[in-house]
Amino acid sequence: MTRRLPPLNPLRAFEATARHGSLSKAAAELHVTHGAVSHQIKALEQSLGVKLFERIGSRLKLTPHGAELLPAVSGAFEGIAAAAARLTRPASSGALVVSCVPALLSLWLIPRLGSFTARYPDIRLKLLASNDARDIRQPDIDVCVHYGDGSWSDCWIRKWSGLELFPVISPTLANNRPIRSIRDLADHVLLHGDDGREWHTWLAAADALDLERVCRRHQFNDARLSIEAALHGHGVALGDTMTASRLLAMGQLIVPFGLSVPAVDDFYVICRNEMRSTPIVQLFVDWLFAEKAEADGRAEPVATRLSTRRKRPMLQLVAKSEEQSNDQFD
């Protein structure tokens, strides 16, 4: 089916005049005469068979028909301009703006920035600590790495990673106030990086929901802050297989129990549909997935990592089979 579209020049004259509310200002922007703009608008009105402007004093005002047409015309021109800019955007140089979950940005992405910089030295990153879904629609944000249920609509989206949640504690606190069983959590402060649902899920899996009534708590508005509090020895936080892995590998945190639960949501890489084909966005997304695959290849299971690093029998895992397995390392 052939689409009948008005000619381009009259549409440009209409959009500029509507934006400025003035034939003279539109003419100056388009580098034509006042009369040429007036002629183009009249031609468009004749083509459509409707009146697009009415004059009120010295200013032009859109008619209802003009007001209905303007958003579509403006959106089309903006889309054309954005596409043209993407076509001329260099593949491996320039600026890229990334919105990323604060905990993931701080504990996973930033430690790996050297890898990206070494591979793409001419790409300048602007990293925003955010998990705000509104970032996906922002024209000045290129890519989002967000945590959620994947229900964002009208955008390009790909699952990047699932998560397992498990308690983490600083070695110093664990030595000063040992955790030999789940019941010992009652002597510790539970550090929440959310509204408490994640700890509730873990305690339910451990058959220890009654501890919610007796444990002291501190709540933070971001998981990164609860992990930082755990690093300082202020309590027991819930770590995950993405953000806590490096801290576990360095021995700054340890895992007192061999029980983990799946997180409710996952990490996703998201961008506006028109940005997915941009070369610089493709480079970053491909690097992100490759870096994760490499990290996954090096990773040890959490319980194994704990067991092989223990120097004396300080902690006791929940399951009997895990206790027996760990005895050979003690």
Side-chain angles (χ1 to χ4, degrees):
M1 179 179 177
T2 302
R3 295 176 179 173
R4 180 179 174 272
L5 296 175
L8 178 61
N9 284 338
L11 287 175
R12 290 182 65 203
F14 163 73
E15 190 275 337
T17 302
R19 185 159 29 87
H20 291 294
S22 166
L23 290 171
S24 299
K25 291 181 180 179
E29 178 182 313
L30 300 174
H31 304 290
V32 297
T33 65
H34 179 286
V37 173
S38 178
H39 175 75
Q40 294 286 0
I41 291 176
K42 288 179 181 177
L44 181 59
E45 290 177 331
Q46 290 174 0
S47 172
L48 297 175
V50 297
K51 194 74 172 172
L52 298 174
F53 290 100
E54 58 183 352
R55 183 170 291 279
I56 301 179
S58 60
R59 187 171 179 82
L60 291 177
K61 180 183 177 182
L62 287 169
T63 65
H65 290 300
E68 183 178 356
L69 179 62
L70 180 60
V73 174
S74 298
F77 282 130
E78 289 173 2
I80 293 170
R86 290 194 301 273
L87 290 176
T88 59
R89 194 172 184 180
S92 58
S93 64
L96 187 72
V97 183
V98 180
S99 167
C100 184
V101 179
L104 186 68
L105 176 59
S106 176
L107 300 172
W108 193 95
L109 185 54
I110 288 177
R112 291 168 170 82
L113 272 184
S115 165
F116 185 84
T117 303
R119 187 171 301 182
Y120 306 112
D122 296 324
I123 294 180
R124 304 183 307 278
L125 291 177
K126 181 178 181 179
L127 301 173
L128 309 176
S130 172
N131 196 44
D132 190 337
R134 291 174 294 184
D135 291 352
I136 299 170
R137 313 294 178 198
Q138 295 299 320
D140 57 346
I141 294 178
D142 299 311
V143 185
C144 297
V145 187
H146 283 186
Y147 181 69
D149 60 8
S151 62
W152 304 283
S153 60
D154 193 27
C155 58
W156 181 86
I157 179 172
R158 182 178 171 189
K159 181 179 173 179
W160 184 62
S161 178
L163 293 174
E164 292 283 324
L165 302 174
F166 45 84
V168 292
I169 187 173
S170 75
T172 300
L173 179 59
N175 279 322
N176 293 337
R177 199 176 302 162
I179 300 183
R180 298 186 177 88
S181 73
I182 291 178
R183 309 310 305 176
D184 290 331
L185 284 174
D187 297 327
H188 289 267
V189 178
L190 300 187
L191 305 172
H192 293 265
D194 68 344
D195 59 2
R197 284 177 292 179
E198 291 181 340
W199 262 114
H200 180 87
T201 300
W202 190 88
L203 289 170
D207 195 23
L209 280 177
D210 60 298
L211 291 177
E212 289 187 315
R213 297 191 300 270
V214 298
C215 286
R216 293 164 292 162
R217 301 166 181 246
H218 291 320
Q219 182 176 353
F220 305 86
N221 69 344
D222 185 79
R224 172 187 54 181
L225 301 178
S226 66
I227 292 295
E228 288 183 6
L231 286 169
H232 286 286
H234 298 314
V236 184
L238 276 183
D240 65 67
T241 42
M242 291 299 297
T243 61
S245 58
R246 185 168 174 269
L247 299 173
L248 294 173
M250 293 188 300
Q252 292 181 283
L253 292 174
I254 58 175
V255 183
F257 310 113
L259 172 66
S260 64
V261 297
V264 174
D265 293 326
D266 301 301
F267 286 125
Y268 290 87
V269 181
I270 318 155
C271 66
R272 300 188 307 281
N273 290 318
E274 65 270 21
M275 294 303 298
R276 179 63 184 108
S277 59
T278 305
I280 197 171
V281 170
Q282 289 181 343
L283 289 179
F284 180 79
V285 172
D286 290 346
W287 172 83
L288 200 63
F289 278 92
E291 196 70 17
K292 179 184 178 298
E294 184 177 342
D296 288 347
R298 296 192 304 263
E300 302 173 56
V302 171
T304 302
R305 185 186 299 124
L306 170 65
S307 301
T308 57
R309 282 171 172 74
R310 284 169 49 198
K311 296 182 179 179
R312 56 195 178 90
M314 178 182 66
L315 305 175
Q316 182 178 17
L317 300 181
V318 179
K320 288 292 184 180
S321 60
E322 290 170 322
E323 286 180 330
Q324 295 168 358
S325 175
N326 287 333
D327 287 341
Q328 61 182 308
F329 299 107
D330 292 338

